[in-house]
Amino acid sequence: QVQLVESGGGLVQPGGSLRLSCAASGSIFSINDMGWYRRAPGKQRELVAGITSGGITNYADSVKGRFTISRDNAKKTVYLQMNSLKPEDTAVYYCNADIRSRLTMTRLAYWGQGTQVTVSS
């Protein structure tokens, strides 16, 4: 069984920073693309940032220059460094990873449980 466990959310003032982490565990053969999504109240889920197994990144226009995605393949962990946070960044942030199971060799998309980020003074 594969799990993604997120941490690092919380309440921060506008202009502040937070770092989210997402660790994968379980019967993992390989991890391909990883990413962060968010869902704000009353809005659809959107891609925030993604990173390939080779380290190629992409970002939503709204976070370019403020957020940085990275990964540590040895630790099976993806990070999202969020700087210059704005109230409109308030959302539940979800980790996503494309993982091939060691047991079945099946490749599936897995999701974390979500972590709340609130930007408010």
Side-chain angles (χ1 to χ4, degrees):
Q1 188 167 350
V2 174
Q3 278 189 315
L4 297 179
V5 178
E6 300 144 345
S7 60
L11 173 64
V12 64
Q13 292 186 340
S17 298
L18 281 176
R19 189 192 195 209
L20 305 182
S21 300
C22 172
S25 63
S27 299
I28 296 171
F29 179 79
S30 62
I31 304 177
N32 302 296
D33 295 351
M34 303 183 83
W36 289 94
Y37 290 73
R38 67 186 180 188
R39 177 175 282 148
K43 295 187 177 181
Q44 289 190 327
R45 184 176 61 193
E46 64 172 349
L47 174 66
V48 176
I51 185 167
T52 68
S53 57
I56 297 172
T57 60
N58 65 286
Y59 297 92
D61 287 343
S62 59
V63 306
K64 281 181 181 177
R66 300 188 298 122
F67 290 11
T68 302
I69 188 171
S70 61
R71 63 191 283 173
D72 184 329
N73 291 329
K75 294 182 178 180
K76 299 185 179 64
T77 299
V78 63
Y79 305 95
L80 186 67
Q81 177 67 43
M82 304 185 293
N83 299 327
S84 302
L85 282 160
K86 305 175 180 179
E88 51 264 43
D89 294 318
T90 295
V92 178
Y93 284 70
Y94 297 91
C95 171
N96 170 268
D98 179 4
I99 296 175
R100 188 179 298 278
S101 166
R102 185 193 303 273
L103 295 178
T104 65
M105 296 305 285
T106 301
R107 188 170 161 176
L108 293 173
Y110 291 86
W111 292 88
Q113 80 283 2
T115 185
Q116 177 70 46
V117 171
T118 303
V119 184
S120 175
S121 54

